[in-house]
Amino acid sequence: AAGMFLRLLSDIQWRAAHPKWRRMTSSQRSTSTTAEPHPVSLPAQAQVVICGGGIMGTSVAYHLSKMGWKDIVLLEQGRLAAGTTRFCAGIVSTARPVSVELKMAHYSNKLYQQLEQETGVQTGYMKTGSISLAQTQDRLISLKRIASSLNVMGIPCEIISPKKVLQLHPLINIHDLVGAMYVPEDALVSSANVSLALATAASRNGVQIHERTTVSHITVQKGRVTGVETDRGRIQCEYFVNCAGQWAYELGHSGEEPVHIPLHACEHFYLLTHPLKEPLSSSLPTVVDPDGRIYIRNWQGGILSGGFEKNPKPLFTEGRNQLEIQNLQEDWDHFGPLLSALLRRMPGLEALQIMQLVNCPESFTPDMRCIMGESPTARGYFVLAGMNSAGISYGGGAGKYLAEWMVNGYPSANVWPLDVKRFGTLQSSRTFLRHRVMEVMPLMYDLKVPRWDFQTGRQLRTSPLYDRLDAQGARWMEKHGFERVKYFVPPGKDLLDLDHSKTFYKPDWFDIVGSEVKCCKEAVCVIDMSSFTKFEISSTGDQALESLQYLFSNDLDVPVGHVVHTGMLNEKGGYENDCSIARLSKRSFFMISPTDQQVHCWSWLKNHLPDDSNLVMEDVTWKYTALNLIGPRAVDVLSELSYAPMTAEHFPSLFCKEMSVGYANGIRVMSITHTGEPGFVLYIPIEYALHVYNEVMNMGQKYGIRNAGYYALRSLRIEKFFAFWGQDLDAFTTPMECGREFQVKLEKGMQFLGQEALLEQKQNGVYKRFTMFILEDHDTDMDLWPWWGEPIFRNGRYVGKTTSSAYSYTLERHVCLGFVHHFDEKTGEELVVTTDFINQGEYEIDIAGQRFQAKAKLYPFSSLFTQRRRKDEVELSGYQRE
């Protein structure tokens, strides 16, 4: 059997490279679960215990030992590389749409290239290149977008014609192709051997590796990892790393404090054939045919071909403890459509002899991105799992980032898109995971146009107004499990058409969102923003104020009733969170953060606030429905409903007050809209939500009130040059780099986290600048739209990427926001970015390989602000977070 062949090959090479290993471990060849006696006993304590001897566990061990940590124990319940790693197809592909995943794959490729030389273990590394095929123009556009990202990172890549595909791979049928993307440096490896090579290097660096050792329980005391229980005794440790692959979910739930790792296994099939009559060249490129749902690589002169079918088979939903993955049952009926696609793509294979259909489990996550980072519930408990069938591509880079995270306290790149804290407990339901991975697996190869949404696991967290809004034509998207309105379809529109319109060009909702924006500018709109994270922090004395003053960069010692917009910074001055804090009383504060901050922000504050019983923090997200009233007539609607004057003299900007609205009282009204337009946000106790909404809509009718959604909000905030956390702002972006010095208390003589880094930037300058771009020669109706992640060119040279963009209905132009860097032309070294550098350049934005001229601005258009207010007040009230 091919699987056994791979296994034996790994065994032989591993033992040849490491004779000492043979003496230490049992040489048992069977895959039975009964372990033989262990000559070497486990240590009583270690700094780090890693669970899992696949590509992830060995990569973490390798990188930690490289960074100088030696007191490490790696435990594997079966034998090294005997899990999913053993069956991995071994394709190292850098063509990834998410920037941090692209960086991980690029690093992995470079690491594997030199691993054989470093360790003496053959890894089977072969640089073959890869060809991604496009059967449709939309697929070609998506490949062009990826190619733009690869090129600016210095990774060779080109869009090629079908004829060139045939030259590179003579067996490919090209009759239905419109083009392809060729990445010449992609590679093939033997995954198990890479894992064994990493283990060899780690072992030489002092890492202890124990096979046939099962972890049963992680002990946590006072919120910190203290040890690991195994079937061979206990190990005390400071850090535990869960690299248990498809078993990571169960292992996460085996401790006193459950660690939620939302992943679920599906069966993954691939075919192995005997060598062709004329054996395939080992340097033939790997072929990915996403429209046919298959990948094809050479394998010992024959073919290895698998894919991601439309009807995947989830498994182990009820949990199952199986040490080493056996080859699961063949299912030819299930593999049929993929086999047909393979024969259409390579018709010459009809007479080929099939050796085996391999069926092995792969674990998938709710959003198709891997899971890494420190658990929000147990300090020192790290996770690296859920690779969505890209384990070998990410293995090296992911292990490096996690090792940096453990040693330095943070990785060297922004890994928020992969952070375990992007999920809450709600994504850990087995039913949810089973249903979601059945959608995720086909999505691996589905065409993903901008603004697509998952269809499974929906209507999980909803506002009390959900049914009311839905009945009025709301179209929904989901964030952190919370349903939020994109826009409202007016009566008479063809709803079905709108739901199925997916495009890289001008979308069908263009005019609908335009009319919502117009209403925000001229009358009044209501947007349900209940999904925002809401915390209350209070104390018996001054503890709340003193603690928050240190953790937040702006001055919170303001009069009661005032609202402060502030960053929650890390030591490097980067944004861990961007939020509004209202001072409710001398000793209590109300904090509003982005939706997806619920777990991350809670964990950050818990880890940084003093352990004081007089200091209380409560998550009140579910207690309040938030209605955002935007527009010049919002003041009239609220005045009439509350019988209180709401004009600027009585209710100034950035003010918070408890009021009655209609019959309901105890409503927190804030003069802030997150868009720069005038208006108010009402934080309503949920039992009053429906009443207040009905009152607002009835009273607002004479002022032209209407519902609006987040797409209108996005357009408004981007044309006003407001950044939001998670897309524009992250842990590597400081207030100095995005024009927010005025929100930092640098001159007030108060200490706060991140202060030293900001003072250094103030003195020495910044290496990137948040900039607004208005597209000049772009035709909204005919040209491809910018969405985010497009390369920015200054005087023909790459200087950065866009972070968000939207069509401005006021300017009648597309507006992109992004960061501009200054790279030295000869060395590539980063230089200080000055205002002159920004203003004196000619800019272009690259959309799928086509460049459009753009005008750069460091400040918003003042004419956009409908009311004359102080500049800082406008900027403060107008930040947005999604």
Side-chain angles (χ1 to χ4, degrees):
M4 184 56 76
F5 172 79
L6 288 170
R7 182 70 239 161
L8 292 173
L9 186 72
S10 305
D11 284 350
I12 293 159
Q13 291 177 343
W14 166 242
R15 283 160 175 68
H18 227 291
K20 182 180 79 167
W21 192 257
R22 187 170 43 215
R23 294 195 298 274
M24 284 168 56
T25 61
S26 72
S27 58
Q28 180 184 6
R29 284 209 177 275
S30 83
T31 50
S32 89
T33 60
T34 54
E36 289 186 0
H38 296 265
V40 179
S41 59
L42 293 184
Q45 62 185 63
Q47 184 183 8
V48 182
V49 173
I50 299 169
C51 175
I55 185 73
M56 293 301 146
T58 52
S59 178
V60 172
Y62 170 87
H63 286 95
L64 281 173
S65 67
K66 282 270 184 190
M67 293 181 75
W69 282 21
K70 306 294 184 191
D71 187 12
I72 300 168
V73 176
L74 187 151
L75 306 177
E76 163 55 48
Q77 64 175 349
R79 292 183 17 219
L80 284 179
T84 301
T85 302
R86 165 186 168 195
F87 285 103
C88 178
I91 299 166
V92 184
S93 161
T94 47
R96 306 285 164 184
V98 180
S99 174
V100 65
E101 292 178 341
L102 197 159
K103 287 177 185 168
M104 291 195 310
H106 184 44
Y107 171 83
S108 298
N109 196 340
K110 290 195 295 188
L111 173 69
Y112 304 157
Q113 205 170 342
Q114 52 86 39
L115 204 54
E116 196 169 313
Q117 192 180 351
E118 181 187 340
T119 62
V121 178
Q122 285 185 3
T123 57
Y125 183 90
M126 171 68 71
K127 193 176 285 186
T128 59
S130 73
I131 307 169
S132 299
L133 309 179
Q135 293 182 30
T136 65
Q137 286 300 333
D138 271 353
R139 176 70 69 182
L140 191 59
I141 290 165
S142 74
L143 293 178
K144 285 177 177 177
R145 287 181 64 87
I146 292 171
S148 291
S149 293
L150 288 170
N151 282 323
V152 296
M153 276 193 66
I155 300 168
C157 171
E158 58 179 316
I159 298 296
I160 58 174
S161 66
K163 275 186 182 173
K164 182 74 189 284
V165 172
L166 198 59
Q167 287 170 16
L168 291 166
H169 202 307
L171 295 178
I172 294 293
N173 171 11
I174 61 166
H175 79 279
D176 57 348
L177 301 183
V178 295
M181 177 176 72
Y182 176 48
V183 185
E185 292 191 355
D186 279 357
L188 296 177
V189 292
S190 158
S191 314
N193 289 8
V194 167
S195 196
L196 297 172
L198 292 167
T200 303
S203 182
R204 284 178 190 158
N205 279 336
V207 175
Q208 294 184 52
I209 300 177
H210 296 266
E211 294 178 305
R212 307 243 176 251
T213 307
T214 303
V215 173
S216 56
H217 187 73
I218 317 303
T219 54
V220 176
Q221 288 175 4
K222 294 183 179 174
R224 272 211 81 95
V225 166
T226 56
V228 176
E229 303 280 355
T230 78
D231 58 353
R232 294 174 55 203
R234 175 181 162 80
I235 306 176
Q236 278 186 297
C237 64
E238 296 171 53
Y239 298 93
F240 174 73
V241 189
N242 183 340
C243 296
Q246 61 175 318
W247 296 285
Y249 177 96
E250 277 84 8
L251 183 59
H253 282 80
S254 68
E256 293 130 25
E257 183 76 56
V259 172
H260 299 286
I261 304 164
L263 53 81
H264 196 295
C266 279
E267 296 183 24
H268 177 59
F269 295 87
Y270 62 78
L271 186 73
L272 292 168
T273 76
H274 288 285
L276 278 70
K277 279 182 184 163
E278 280 186 40
L280 289 181
S281 157
S282 61
S283 60
L284 210 60
T286 298
V287 174
V288 178
D289 181 6
D291 297 309
R293 316 195 74 81
I294 55 168
Y295 58 82
I296 308 162
R297 57 158 284 195
N298 70 73
W299 188 75
Q300 300 183 357
I303 291 284
L304 183 160
S305 177
F308 298 102
E309 63 274 23
K310 284 184 175 175
N311 55 334
K313 297 166 72 175
L315 74 166
F316 305 151
T317 302
E318 63 292 335
R320 183 158 153 195
N321 188 19
Q322 185 182 354
L323 291 193
E324 294 176 5
I325 299 172
Q326 315 300 308
N327 187 10
L328 302 163
Q329 286 182 335
E330 291 187 349
D331 186 340
W332 283 103
D333 290 341
H334 191 77
F335 191 71
L338 298 182
L339 181 59
S340 301
L342 170 64
L343 295 175
R344 272 197 308 275
R345 188 54 59 214
M346 295 179 77
L349 298 186
E350 288 283 3
L352 201 62
Q353 276 190 305
I354 289 166
M355 182 189 285
Q356 187 186 9
L357 181 62
V358 179
N359 174 5
C360 62
E362 285 275 4
S363 51
F364 295 86
T365 64
D367 61 0
M368 293 192 294
R369 301 197 296 265
C370 73
I371 299 172
M372 66 158 62
E374 189 173 17
S375 156
T377 51
R379 303 222 49 192
Y381 191 123
F382 284 82
V383 179
L384 185 56
M387 293 296 140
N388 300 285
S389 201
I392 195 67
S393 292
Y394 296 153
K400 171 177 179 271
Y401 285 151
L402 196 79
E404 290 171 345
W405 205 329
M406 293 171 70
V407 175
N408 303 328
Y410 47 85
S412 57
N414 172 34
V415 294
W416 170 248
L418 316 177
D419 194 328
V420 64
K421 290 186 280 293
R422 73 188 186 272
F423 295 120
T425 54
L426 55 102
Q427 284 97 350
S428 276
S429 142
R430 287 309 266 174
T431 309
F432 166 81
L433 287 170
R434 183 181 175 87
H435 291 175
R436 177 56 67 86
V437 296
M438 289 173 76
E439 179 184 12
V440 158
M441 194 167 155
L443 272 170
M444 302 299 293
Y445 277 173
D446 279 353
L447 183 68
K448 291 178 280 294
V449 299
R451 310 266 180 266
W452 61 274
D453 301 292
F454 289 107
Q455 301 303 308
T456 52
R458 296 294 296 270
Q459 297 178 24
L460 193 56
R461 299 172 75 197
T462 57
S463 152
L465 306 177
Y466 180 87
D467 288 341
R468 281 283 278 121
L469 301 178
D470 198 52
Q472 294 175 76
R475 284 291 162 269
W476 301 91
M477 60 182 180
E478 167 253 336
K479 183 83 172 222
H480 203 64
F482 215 114
E483 295 293 330
R484 311 196 310 181
V485 182
K486 297 191 272 196
Y487 48 80
F488 285 83
V489 180
K493 271 270 186 187
D494 187 337
L495 309 191
L496 202 65
D497 271 5
L498 207 62
D499 281 349
H500 291 110
S501 69
K502 293 180 167 66
T503 178
F504 290 99
Y505 291 89
K506 179 181 175 180
D508 286 0
W509 44 255
F510 180 81
D511 293 329
I512 295 173
V513 174
S515 59
E516 289 179 9
V517 167
K518 188 171 189 284
C519 187
C520 287
K521 300 251 180 205
E522 296 173 3
V524 55
C525 274
V526 180
I527 303 181
D528 183 340
M529 299 176 74
S530 304
S531 66
F532 275 1
T533 298
K534 300 172 274 288
F535 294 165
E536 280 179 11
I537 302 159
S538 57
S539 58
T540 51
D542 292 334
Q543 300 94 327
L545 177 64
E546 287 169 7
S547 305
L548 297 181
Q549 282 286 56
Y550 178 67
L551 292 181
F552 292 88
S553 56
N554 209 344
D555 187 4
L556 299 181
D557 194 3
V558 292
V560 171
H562 283 245
V563 183
V564 176
H565 179 210
T566 178
M568 182 173 86
L569 309 182
N570 53 37
E571 286 176 7
K572 304 189 303 297
Y575 281 97
E576 290 295 333
N577 185 8
D578 180 41
C579 53
S580 303
I581 298 182
R583 191 167 194 181
L584 300 179
S585 71
K586 284 279 186 195
R587 293 169 180 171
S588 68
F589 296 85
F590 184 49
M591 176 179 171
I592 317 295
S593 305
T595 304
D596 50 2
Q597 274 279 359
Q598 191 165 13
V599 177
H600 173 71
C601 181
W602 180 267
S603 157
W604 178 270
L605 288 173
K606 274 286 183 200
N607 290 339
H608 288 82
L609 285 171
D611 190 10
D612 183 344
S613 58
N614 296 314
L615 184 62
V616 179
M617 178 168 71
E618 187 187 0
D619 185 344
V620 294
T621 301
W622 62 275
K623 284 188 177 181
Y624 293 95
T625 296
L627 286 184
N628 194 351
L629 268 64
I630 303 176
R633 308 313 298 262
V635 64
D636 302 306
V637 175
L638 219 47
S639 292
E640 290 200 43
L641 278 175
S642 60
Y643 289 99
M646 301 296 294
T647 52
E649 305 85 73
H650 300 95
F651 208 112
S653 179
L654 291 174
F655 199 67
C656 173
K657 194 162 138 185
E658 282 212 353
M659 297 175 62
S660 299
V661 177
Y663 297 154
N665 56 19
I667 290 161
R668 292 174 185 171
V669 179
M670 292 191 198
S671 46
I672 180 174
T673 64
H674 314 299
T675 60
E677 303 298 329
F680 305 89
V681 180
L682 281 57
Y683 288 95
I684 310 159
I686 55 168
E687 63 265 37
Y688 300 143
L690 209 50
H691 168 74
V692 172
Y693 173 77
N694 290 337
E695 291 287 300
V696 165
M697 293 307 281
N698 291 338
M699 183 61 73
Q701 274 184 340
K702 60 184 175 190
Y703 299 109
I705 199 165
R706 66 179 287 169
N707 292 299
Y710 271 82
Y711 283 11
L713 198 85
R714 178 184 282 126
S715 173
L716 290 166
R717 74 96 183 167
I718 287 178
E719 72 179 17
K720 296 287 182 13
F721 197 15
F722 298 145
F724 69 75
W725 189 90
Q727 194 152 345
D728 306 309
L729 307 178
D730 57 41
F732 287 78
T733 307
T734 74
M736 302 308 206
E737 295 162 349
C738 57
R740 292 188 175 184
E741 299 93 315
F742 64 92
Q743 291 175 8
V744 180
K745 52 194 174 201
L746 278 179
E747 311 300 329
K748 297 196 175 181
M750 282 180 269
Q751 267 207 315
F752 63 90
L753 195 57
Q755 184 177 22
E756 286 176 22
L758 299 190
L759 286 169
E760 192 178 314
Q761 280 194 332
K762 188 173 183 183
Q763 192 174 342
N764 301 335
V766 295
Y767 290 92
K768 61 179 180 183
R769 252 326 258 284
F770 194 49
T771 310
M772 177 180 190
F773 298 94
I774 294 92
L775 294 191
E776 300 276 282
D777 56 347
H778 183 271
D779 185 325
T780 306
D781 293 321
M782 302 303 293
D783 289 326
L784 285 170
W785 274 32
W787 296 97
W788 58 275
E790 290 85 13
I792 303 164
F793 290 86
R794 178 188 179 276
N795 299 348
R797 293 180 63 83
Y798 171 70
V799 289
K801 281 188 177 179
T802 64
T803 49
S804 53
S805 63
Y807 181 79
S808 164
Y809 294 88
T810 317
L811 297 170
E812 297 183 342
R813 288 268 188 284
H814 258 99
V815 177
C816 301
L817 309 182
F819 286 92
V820 171
H821 301 251
H822 184 182
F823 301 110
D824 185 281
E825 292 194 18
K826 289 179 183 153
T827 64
E829 183 192 352
E830 287 207 60
L831 306 173
V832 169
V833 177
T834 61
T835 306
D836 284 348
F837 179 80
I838 301 281
N839 291 336
Q840 288 166 11
E842 297 282 325
Y843 292 90
E844 292 170 305
I845 307 291
D846 177 322
I847 306 175
Q850 189 178 353
R851 294 190 192 179
F852 296 91
Q853 289 179 345
K855 188 175 180 181
K857 287 181 72 68
L858 285 168
Y859 302 99
F861 287 89
S862 53
S863 60
L864 286 177
F865 298 111
T866 50
Q867 293 192 337
R868 291 179 62 84
R869 292 194 273 171
R870 284 195 5 253
K871 173 174 165 282
D872 63 333
E873 277 192 350
V874 169
E875 289 189 350
L876 277 166
S877 66
Y879 82 100
Q880 153 65 5
R881 33 179 157 51
E882 298 201 355

